[in-house]
Amino acid sequence: MAQFIKIYNDKPNEAAIMKVVNVLRDGGLVIYPTDTVYGLGCDITNSRALERIAKIKGIKLEKANFSFVCYDLSNLSDYVRQIDTATFKLLKRALPGPYTFILPGNNNLPKEFKKKTTVGIRVPDNNIARCLVEKLGNPIVSTSIHDDDEVLEYSTDPELIFEKWQNLVDIVIDGGYGDNHASTIIDLSGFEPVVVREGKGSLDIL
């Protein structure tokens, strides 16, 4: 059964963060808060954990459209081909924030994603998520957790999330109520930005 850990977004407790980071390093799955909805994540370098997430989502790993959650833009060149100045300025304007940007992937993508030509990058405006990534030392591969409720698309109450997911993951972080608006997805892999999904992030940045 999963651990249920309370962490405060305004001042994340370092011991609690390190407890979660150690679970991620060991191939564990973690449900954690972002600036939008709660996410299900694992260490990008752990193949076993990636397979577990794909299995939970009921999809083949190579076909999965997971986001890479980064601490800031310094990780970009690890996984993204060189981008032009205008694109970089747009990212700087928007991040950290409730956006997922689809960018052209490079040859350093983990082997599970080698067939992908693009990658979704997230830098959430949430201290818990960013502290996890910073202490882990590499991105978290992440996907939103959906609710079975017909009215609410996303689960927002950490206790209800724990109730539902406790036998599927290793840790559920209680970071307070989540949002039920997902991130805005913008594809920057072509000549012009394309809005794939309008979510919480304003389109005024374009």
Side-chain angles (χ1 to χ4, degrees):
M1 191 167 110
Q3 299 177 66
F4 191 50
I5 298 178
K6 176 79 185 168
I7 303 179
Y8 294 95
N9 184 46
D10 52 351
K11 204 170 180 206
N13 176 294
E14 188 162 343
I17 290 285
M18 287 314 298
K19 192 180 219 180
V20 179
V21 165
N22 289 330
V23 166
L24 286 166
R25 283 191 182 133
D26 285 345
L29 304 190
V30 172
I31 290 178
Y32 66 100
T34 71
D35 53 354
T36 57
V37 299
Y38 268 78
L40 165 64
C42 72
D43 183 340
I44 196 172
T45 64
N46 193 298
S47 301
R48 193 165 47 89
L50 290 167
E51 290 286 0
R52 276 180 71 193
I53 289 191
K55 193 174 177 190
I56 285 173
K57 297 290 277 189
I59 47 179
K60 283 195 161 40
L61 184 53
E62 60 272 15
K63 295 208 166 123
N65 288 320
F66 296 145
S67 300
F68 291 9
V69 174
C70 302
Y71 175 72
D72 58 18
L73 295 177
S74 62
N75 282 118
L76 269 193
S77 57
D78 294 348
Y79 304 109
V80 172
R81 279 211 309 271
Q82 198 167 358
I83 52 177
D84 59 34
T85 310
T87 302
F88 189 73
K89 280 184 175 167
L90 173 57
L91 296 175
K92 287 282 278 188
R93 270 202 307 279
L95 300 173
Y99 297 90
T100 301
F101 289 104
I102 297 172
L103 296 160
N106 66 19
N107 295 329
N108 299 330
L109 287 173
K111 64 179 188 299
E112 291 80 8
F113 304 109
K114 283 285 188 213
K115 290 181 181 166
K116 291 194 129 6
T117 54
T118 58
V119 59
I121 297 288
R122 271 279 269 135
V123 182
D125 189 9
N126 177 284
N127 292 329
I128 298 168
R130 293 183 72 211
C131 281
L132 288 176
V133 175
E134 184 181 28
K135 297 293 183 193
L136 183 62
N138 50 255
I140 290 173
V141 166
S142 186
T143 179
S144 302
I145 59 168
H146 287 259
D147 203 314
D148 301 329
D149 191 301
E150 287 168 15
V151 182
L152 280 175
E153 195 182 346
Y154 300 99
S155 308
T156 58
D157 182 337
E159 290 189 6
L160 293 178
I161 292 171
F162 178 71
E163 218 171 272
K164 182 179 170 186
W165 289 82
Q166 59 187 328
N167 296 317
L168 291 169
V169 301
D170 302 283
I171 287 184
V172 175
I173 296 174
D174 175 359
Y177 272 84
D179 204 323
N180 62 354
H181 293 288
S183 64
T184 293
I185 303 176
I186 300 173
D187 189 341
L188 299 176
S189 63
F191 293 111
E192 292 287 325
V194 175
V195 178
V196 178
R197 176 181 73 197
E198 193 171 347
K200 188 175 176 183
S202 163
L203 298 180
D204 293 349
I205 58 156
L206 295 174

